[in-house]
Amino acid sequence: MNKPIHDWHQQRIWLIGASSGIGAALAQHALAAGADVILSARRVDRLNQIAGKHPAAYVVPLDVLDTPAWGVAYQHILDQIGPIDLIVFCAANYRPERCWDVDSAVAESTLRINLGSVYTGLATILPDMLSRGRGGIALIASVAGYMGLPNASVYGPSKAALINLAEILYSDLHPKGLNVYVVNPGFVKTELTAKNSFVMPALQTPQQAANAIWKGMSAGNFEIHFPHRVTQVMKFVQLLPYRWRFALLARFLKIS
């Protein structure tokens, strides 16, 4: 559906939220493939650790909630490196919580990080990509966005919105020459999932997740989801009437 990418050499990739987890692992893949990688996050020390080993890595500190900082960061990238070929939105926050545990201030912050910052980033880079008629946008969503799951009272809706947004972006931007990817991982061992107190089926490492994402983008897939033994089951459950779906969730997702 997207244009396959067979050669990543000197492709300019901007990773938002690259200091840990999937973002940091993706940085390693991109650098190994010969891409020029811009690493952005708040934790500059961690970004410097990655960049210190790779001359093709550039550190551009960014707080995704600082709206003016986006324009400053992108202008710096344009001046020092050049226009972006691919931006990957990895920044996210997660707090396991049932609906009665939701704190409104924390919920607002999570939604701003997981969803609002993506809109800020799009407003920053899209004019340039559209003027060139090329570029790519990848949104890291989650299988938590497939359906309402326990303990994802804020995180789940934010990821469902990203899936919806990716579909809109593809419809709008693919005819104009841009690639759009939505990534829906299952459980990945990160600082965020370390907060979970329940068993996470088919838990993957960030390196496994990054490998699946890299293969999917290289092949030109719109949706990149993994591990398939989990995501295919969830896609099937999505098709069921609500009565059956709720019964299955109550039986198999025994999260108190």
Side-chain angles (χ1 to χ4, degrees):
M1 299 173 70
N2 290 306
K3 298 173 185 175
I5 301 176
H6 303 296
D7 183 8
W8 290 92
H9 185 67
Q10 292 186 332
Q11 290 274 313
R12 301 182 188 97
I13 302 175
W14 192 9
L15 294 173
I16 310 298
S19 60
S20 64
I22 292 176
L26 269 176
Q28 301 292 344
H29 269 269
L31 290 162
D36 295 326
V37 182
I38 299 95
L39 308 169
S40 286
R42 290 181 303 165
R43 294 181 289 187
V44 181
D45 56 334
R46 294 197 181 188
L47 300 181
N48 286 332
Q49 288 176 7
I50 300 172
K53 304 174 183 177
H54 301 278
Y58 305 86
V59 172
V60 179
L62 176 66
D63 180 347
V64 297
L65 296 183
D66 185 345
T67 300
W70 278 91
V72 174
Y74 190 52
Q75 189 59 54
H76 176 76
I77 292 168
L78 289 174
D79 293 340
Q80 300 297 320
I81 305 163
I84 296 299
D85 297 301
L86 171 68
I87 184 170
V88 186
F89 291 94
C90 304
N93 191 27
Y94 165 67
R95 174 188 173 193
E97 55 197 340
R98 303 304 287 268
C99 62
W100 51 80
D101 296 320
V102 172
D103 177 277
S104 60
V106 176
E108 180 181 358
S109 176
T110 297
L111 291 171
R112 288 183 63 205
I113 294 170
N114 294 6
L115 180 61
S117 68
V118 174
Y119 281 97
T120 308
L122 290 173
T124 302
I125 57 93
L126 267 182
D128 181 53
M129 285 188 175
L130 288 171
S131 69
R132 292 184 291 125
R134 61 188 297 267
I137 298 163
L139 308 184
I140 307 296
S142 169
V143 296
Y146 283 172
M147 65 189 75
L149 299 175
N151 263 331
S153 299
V154 180
Y155 181 81
S158 73
K159 295 302 183 178
L162 284 183
I163 295 171
N164 186 283
L165 175 59
E167 293 170 356
I168 295 169
L169 291 174
Y170 184 89
S171 297
D172 282 350
L173 301 179
H174 185 257
K176 298 182 181 297
L178 275 63
N179 287 344
V180 178
Y181 314 89
V182 61
V183 181
N184 291 317
F187 290 110
V188 180
K189 189 175 182 180
T190 66
E191 294 174 6
L192 296 182
T193 56
K195 301 175 184 179
N196 290 332
S197 59
F198 53 88
V199 175
M200 293 174 279
L203 182 66
Q204 297 210 312
T205 66
Q207 291 72 27
Q208 288 174 310
N211 184 56
I213 295 168
W214 198 254
K215 286 182 178 179
M217 290 194 299
S218 298
N221 297 336
F222 166 68
E223 186 192 8
I224 302 164
H225 60 94
F226 54 88
H228 284 182
R229 63 186 182 277
V230 171
T231 57
Q232 296 290 13
V233 171
M234 295 191 72
K235 285 178 174 290
F236 169 75
V237 175
Q238 269 187 305
L239 302 175
L240 297 176
Y242 278 117
R243 181 179 62 180
W244 296 355
R245 186 194 302 183
F246 288 149
L248 281 172
L249 290 174
R251 180 175 180 180
F252 293 107
L253 297 178
K254 295 178 180 179
I255 303 171
S256 59

